[in-house]
Each structure stands twice: as C-alpha cells, then as structure tokens.
Amino acid sequence: MPNKRLFGIRGAVCAENTPESVVRAVDTLCSRLFTQNALQADDIVSIHFTVTSDITALNPATALRQSSVAGTARQTALFCSAEPSIDGALPRVIRVLLIAYLPETARPRHAYIGGAASLRPDIAGHDGA
C-alpha cells in the first residue's frame, strides 16, 4: 500500500436558493470529488462548505447528509460558514474544501461545476467541469 499524505481538495457549484437545488448541487459536486479522487470514507478527514449570502434555504452540510453520497461522508466532520460578501462576486455559490488522505504522489482533482467554473478557470477545465 502506498504512503498517504493529507491534501486539500477544492470545488464549487452554483445552486438556486431552494432545498432541492442545494441538495442536488452538493450531491453532484461531492460525488464528482469523491469519484475523481477515488475517495473512500476512511480517507476523508473533514469537509468545510461556504455559501454566499443568497443561499439560505438549506445548509450544505445538511444537504450532504440528505444526498446519495451521504454514506461516504457518514463519519466525517462537516462544517459550514458564510462566504465573505464581495462586490461583484458570483452569486448563489457553494464552495467546498475537502480534507482527505490520498497516495503521496497523487494530484488532487478539483471540481468547479454548475456555473462555478469562472471562479477557477485555470483548473476547472482540467477536471471536466
């Protein structure tokens, strides 16, 4: 088994301000990150979400618990906070910082999807976003 090290894996997705849209967006984003990085439940240390001030319908951590990939993060520490309010910022964004163990030679695969690719065009296109 290869040695592992801790990595930060980033991503973002845009959602409408409805519970259904937030669950769908979080499910899609986390599913992509888990799959692209071949993550198992034991690999994930914590997941930190941020949301812009216009996402008020549902906390993304709660949305993850309601999603189809909830089992992968069942024992994971989840946290959510407010994104700073910046003039001209992209609206309705859910960002994630997933802390996980990967093989030490791995290159984390980030995901900027569902309208959020403009946040990181330098890496968004590399991950099929």
Side-chain angles (χ1 to χ4, degrees):
M1 170 180 252
N3 291 332
K4 291 190 173 188
R5 70 171 268 242
L6 206 53
F7 285 91
I9 304 167
R10 300 177 315 274
V13 65
C14 294
E16 296 301 318
N17 190 31
T18 67
E20 300 80 16
S21 180
V22 173
V23 170
R24 188 171 42 256
V26 168
D27 182 78
T28 301
L29 178 60
C30 288
S31 178
R32 169 87 53 101
L33 290 172
F34 296 166
T35 301
Q36 284 182 166
N37 291 286
L39 293 172
Q40 302 300 314
D42 290 345
D43 298 324
I44 304 170
V45 175
S46 64
I47 302 173
H48 183 166
F49 294 99
T50 65
V51 293
T52 51
S53 62
D54 46 10
I55 298 287
T56 59
L58 187 66
N59 179 320
T62 301
L64 180 58
R65 288 186 199 99
Q66 296 175 6
S67 75
S68 69
V69 294
T72 304
R74 187 171 314 283
Q75 300 301 319
T76 302
L78 303 177
F79 189 79
C80 189
S81 60
E83 187 72 25
S85 186
I86 306 296
D87 292 340
L90 186 64
R92 298 183 315 278
V93 177
I94 300 168
R95 289 175 174 83
V96 66
L97 174 60
L98 191 155
I99 306 299
Y101 285 98
L102 297 173
E104 64 185 353
T105 59
R107 291 185 58 204
R109 306 235 8 235
H110 311 288
Y112 288 81
I113 61 174
S118 65
L119 295 171
R120 288 299 306 267
D122 57 322
I123 60 176
H126 299 278
D127 294 320

